[in-house]
Amino acid sequence: MTRSGLGGLVLDNLSRNARSVAMSSVGIIVGISALVFFVGLSEGIKEVVLKRIFLIDQVEVIPPKVGFGVEQLGALFGAKPANDKLTDALTAEFAGVEGVEGAYPKMKFTFPAFAYGGKELLGRDVRGELIADGLEPALVRAELPADARFEDLEAPAPCAGDDACVGGSRCVEGACAPEACSLAKGAAPTCGGGSYCAEQLGAAAEEGRCLQPIPVILNEQLLELYNGGIAVALGRGGSLPKVSKELVVGFGFNVELNRSAIMRTRGASLARRVKVVGFSDKAMQVGVTLPIGYVRRLNASFTSPEAAARYHSVILKVRDQTRFPELVEEVRRRGLALADKTSNAEQASKIIKTVEGLFALVSLLIVGIAAVNISQMFYMLIYQRRREIGLLRALGASEGDLKAIILGEAASIGLLGGALGALVGLGAAAAVDAVAANLPRFPYKPESFFVFPAWVWPAALVAAVAFCVTGAFFPARAAARQEPAEALTQ
Amino acid sequence: MSETPESSAPSAPLSAPLSAPLSAPPSAPLISLRGVSKRYRGAPEGERALKGVTLDIARGEIVAVVGTSGSGKSTLLNILGGLDRAFEGEARVDGRDLHALSDAALSTWRNQRVGFIFQHFHLLDHLSALDNVLLPARLRRGARDAGAARARAQDLLTRLGLHDKRDALPTQLSGGQKQRVAIARALLFEPSLLLCDEPTGSLDSRTGEEIIALFKELNAEGYTVVMITHEERVSRAARRVIRLEDGAVKSDQLKSEQLKSDQQETP
């Protein structure tokens, strides 16, 4: 039998049994729509949980955790602090591990600091303790806008002319140096190129110098936390305005370094302006992140030179996410630990995989039941059509032709059911999103709860066809094995 | 065969060249059975539907196989048409050993070399008369000329007086018309053998006579016709009558011999 002959017979049979076909397709449509819906939902959850809350494309290595007091006790006897392990040498070693795209150290402030300001953004000034760390600008460069200068603007920079220096500094003897400034009457020049005169910030500032604000980046989670709760908590009965990423970028505030807003501190302090230049998921979750050069200098200045040589963590950028478990193992083998966020990512990844598996199982169970239903329908149709099957045999249909006709009908039902199921699944997802759009905002609330990867559409069709063909396999075999002579006498 | 007004349109003869060449030399018998026995599944060991049937049927013959119900005539027809291969003995039809053919080869042979005509017509109710005639073309393997098959099917319907019924569904046709559609379907690929199972069993006597006349006409055009029947009027149309009894050939007579025999028996 030729393909066109087969196609014609299949279409004839489907159209005259439209009612049975429609009834049997319902199960397939429900099963496939559930499959598409659940795949979209679990991919959507993955998108939020593993790409926004717990990052799986990076591993944050921290010194091993020790029991309460052990470290302090060890220190009395001259033991090195745990983060002594996180050095430049170890960072370089990790950078060479398979599956690692790069290793980037992070260093926290080892001194207190507080931030103040915000009137231009929030309507009034707020003041609070500042937690900050520093990371290599190279780690986040690709995530930030092209015009965002997230770099150490105060690092000694060689130059051939003034153009090579940042605003407010000038090339002096082959190196960029800050221009002098004063707020006193007649003591200009005014600082240019986005810089400010340090005297503006009071006695703690480095007087007489033009300085660029320290560029910082924020984590989107901080914005979520602010909009989701802090704005209300600080609102004194009302609420501070909610802010967006666009509003926050370019926003500047002041910091006082080596001073605390909540406790007494001694020693010299330093006042600086900072400016938010962008957002990155690699930035500190509750705090701000600076280029690591600033943190090294400030730690050396306010704490000790040793404090500027010890990293608090190293971020390993994962090139191949499938190697995530091996990389975690490698970290543990070296006697190091994972930051809570990475551990949580690992746990979240396992939980999501389990949930994903359960979703898939439920969907496949529905489709499986539908396949049994399809099987029953074909047994019934074959019983009703047994004389016709005998006739087709008499007219020249082989056993293979009969199987092809019945499996062709099953595949067509699968194709139709799969396509409709995919549309229904997509529609159900759109309906859920529409309902969710009216829910109050909550942290990490996505625009859509569903992400449909491209493979889900062919997979839905293939699964539907495969289940239908499997369901029809035994009826098709039974039809083909029917004795034509016997079938004709029925 | 009666001509309809529409049949004045150009039409191909029933033997238009749509068939494959015969595989056996014309001198060899078309059908050759040697010691064919058949026992149905579940039947007692000694009970056979056919018991060592041996016979030859030449090309161009018109043969009636007669016998009472249960004599084995339908079993014989199923074996001749390759619909039942679970038998003992040797059956060669059109030069082919039916035991030796694969299912696919046997199906192709049935499709192109055998025309079946059944008592209950076996038309598909959801297809028009024309599409019923074209059904064997849909099942044909390999390259096929759909246009030629369609033209031939239309010609056949015209020749059989059904030109204006080509789009009618079987439920809109009379018994005689249905049987003519079934005959057209059987003739689509100009088979070497027409196997007719009680072809007039569901028809009134007048229509039955017309159908018998049609078989005689087809035989005159060169078709080999084997008719299974228990009706005297059908067997009268045949030149040779094979009588089966309890699965065995009781008599096998040419019409002229039968006439002589009848005359001798008459006082």
Side-chain angles (χ1 to χ4, degrees), chain A residues 1-2 4-5 8-9 12-13 16 387-388 391-399 401 483-486 488, chain B residues 41 78 83-84 103-104 107-108 110-111 116 118 120 122 124 126-127 135-136 138-142 144 185:
Chain A
M1 187 169 42
T2 58
S4 63
L9 285 168
D12 277 350
N13 290 340
R16 75 187 152 121
R387 272 173 72 168
E388 179 186 325
L391 174 71
L392 292 179
R393 292 284 275 149
L395 297 183
S398 66
E399 288 185 13
D401 290 337
E483 286 293 336
E486 273 178 39
L488 279 166
Chain B
R41 257 183 318 207
N78 290 335
L83 296 175
D84 185 349
D103 176 67
S107 301
T108 303
R110 271 200 307 265
N111 179 248
F116 286 96
F118 303 98
H120 298 295
H122 286 322
L124 298 186
H126 64 284
L127 297 181
L135 200 51
R138 281 180 163 191
L139 297 167
R140 185 168 185 165
R141 278 167 189 73
R144 64 190 170 112
R185 181 179 65 193

Side-chain angles (χ1 to χ4, degrees), chain A residues 253-471:
Chain A
F253 57 94
N254 302 326
V255 295
E256 189 121 358
L257 305 168
N258 206 28
R259 281 288 177 274
S260 170
I262 53 172
M263 57 191 245
R264 287 188 61 188
T265 45
R266 286 181 296 178
S269 66
L270 188 64
R272 283 298 178 87
R273 271 195 84 70
V274 298
K275 183 180 166 189
V276 179
V277 296
F279 281 82
S280 165
D281 51 38
K282 294 170 186 72
M284 206 173 205
Q285 284 177 36
V286 184
V288 299
T289 294
L290 292 66
I292 197 166
Y294 286 102
V295 184
R296 277 200 193 99
R297 280 196 304 280
L298 293 169
N299 280 354
S301 165
F302 292 126
T303 311
S304 66
E306 291 76 30
R310 290 196 298 261
Y311 299 119
H312 289 88
S313 66
V314 176
I315 289 181
L316 308 181
K317 205 167 173 186
V318 181
R319 181 186 294 122
D320 177 4
Q321 290 189 14
T322 60
R323 287 193 52 80
F324 185 82
E326 286 92 332
L327 208 53
V328 166
E329 204 46 48
E330 175 73 19
V331 169
R332 290 186 176 134
R333 198 179 59 73
R334 288 168 185 260
L336 294 162
L338 298 171
D340 285 347
K341 199 174 165 181
T342 307
S343 296
N344 291 343
E346 192 188 5
Q347 291 302 317
S349 163
K350 283 179 187 167
I351 291 167
I352 285 173
K353 271 193 180 141
T354 310
V355 172
E356 211 174 7
L358 278 174
F359 281 170
L361 197 69
V362 168
S363 312
L364 293 179
L365 211 62
I366 298 172
V367 184
I369 292 167
V372 173
N373 187 31
I374 293 272
S375 185
Q376 292 304 316
M377 179 200 77
F378 273 108
Y379 272 122
M380 189 189 75
L381 285 181
I382 284 163
Y383 180 75
Q384 287 171 353
R385 280 156 47 180
R386 58 200 185 284
R387 272 173 72 168
E388 179 186 325
I389 288 167
L391 174 71
L392 292 179
R393 292 284 275 149
L395 297 183
S398 66
E399 288 185 13
D401 290 337
L402 283 176
K403 279 185 201 164
I405 291 169
I406 290 163
L407 294 179
E409 289 174 31
S412 306
I413 292 173
L415 211 58
L416 193 72
L420 285 176
L423 285 177
V424 170
L426 197 63
V432 168
D433 275 342
V435 171
N438 296 319
L439 294 177
R441 188 180 168 79
F442 53 84
Y444 304 110
K445 185 182 171 190
E447 286 297 308
S448 169
F449 286 87
F450 300 86
V451 171
F452 294 101
W455 58 260
V456 79
W457 311 118
L461 293 183
V462 167
V465 170
F467 273 91
C468 285
V469 168
T470 307

